[in-house]
Amino acid sequence: MQKEIRQFDEDAYGKLRSLQARLVHGSFEFPPARGVPIPKAGKKDIRPLVIAGVETRIVQRAILDTLQGIAPLQAYFRNPTSFGGIKRGETDELAAVPAAIKAVLDAIGSGGTYVACA
């Protein structure tokens, strides 16, 4: 992934212009992501990790940013149990993983015994 980032960075302006043109003309297609097996520490099991390319990640983030700016959609992701990919609000102390960890610890402190992830 770092090699791909360095290659993108060598002509970032040109590559962003190319990406923009493909998006405008409707010719951009998400290429397949690649799977990487990550060994779990001290175990024989692996953790499968899916890695998207740089352009895919740029487009995904742009889509997320756009959707987050649409007021009627905010009720679906601006709630106390949404953490991933959500930017911190002005009144939020924490966001993303730190906010999720705090929510779990608070729930445990209140007697919670289960966590559900999706």
Side-chain angles (χ1 to χ4, degrees):
M1 175 52 93
Q2 290 182 5
K3 181 181 176 183
E4 183 184 0
I5 292 169
R6 281 192 300 274
Q7 288 174 338
F8 190 92
D9 188 46
E10 288 174 6
D11 183 26
Y13 180 78
K15 291 187 180 194
L16 287 172
R17 294 286 301 194
S18 170
L19 180 58
Q20 177 192 26
R22 285 179 281 143
L23 288 166
V24 167
H25 292 100
S27 62
F28 175 81
E29 291 186 20
F30 287 101
R34 64 184 172 94
V36 178
I38 306 294
K40 291 185 178 181
K43 299 181 180 180
K44 292 183 181 182
D45 297 340
I46 63 161
R47 176 179 170 241
L49 186 63
V50 178
I51 300 176
V54 173
E55 285 189 349
T56 296
R57 294 171 71 182
I58 290 169
V59 173
Q60 288 173 335
R61 187 69 219 194
I63 291 169
L64 179 62
D65 288 349
T66 299
L67 291 174
Q68 287 179 347
I70 300 172
L73 296 179
Q74 291 184 3
Y76 295 102
F77 56 83
R78 289 261 178 231
N79 60 65
T81 57
S82 287
F83 303 107
I86 307 299
K87 292 180 181 175
R88 186 169 67 111
E90 290 179 14
T91 60
D92 296 332
E93 293 177 31
L94 301 170
V97 173
I101 292 169
K102 183 179 182 318
V104 169
L105 292 175
D106 289 349
I108 290 170
S110 298
T113 56
Y114 296 94
V115 174
C117 300

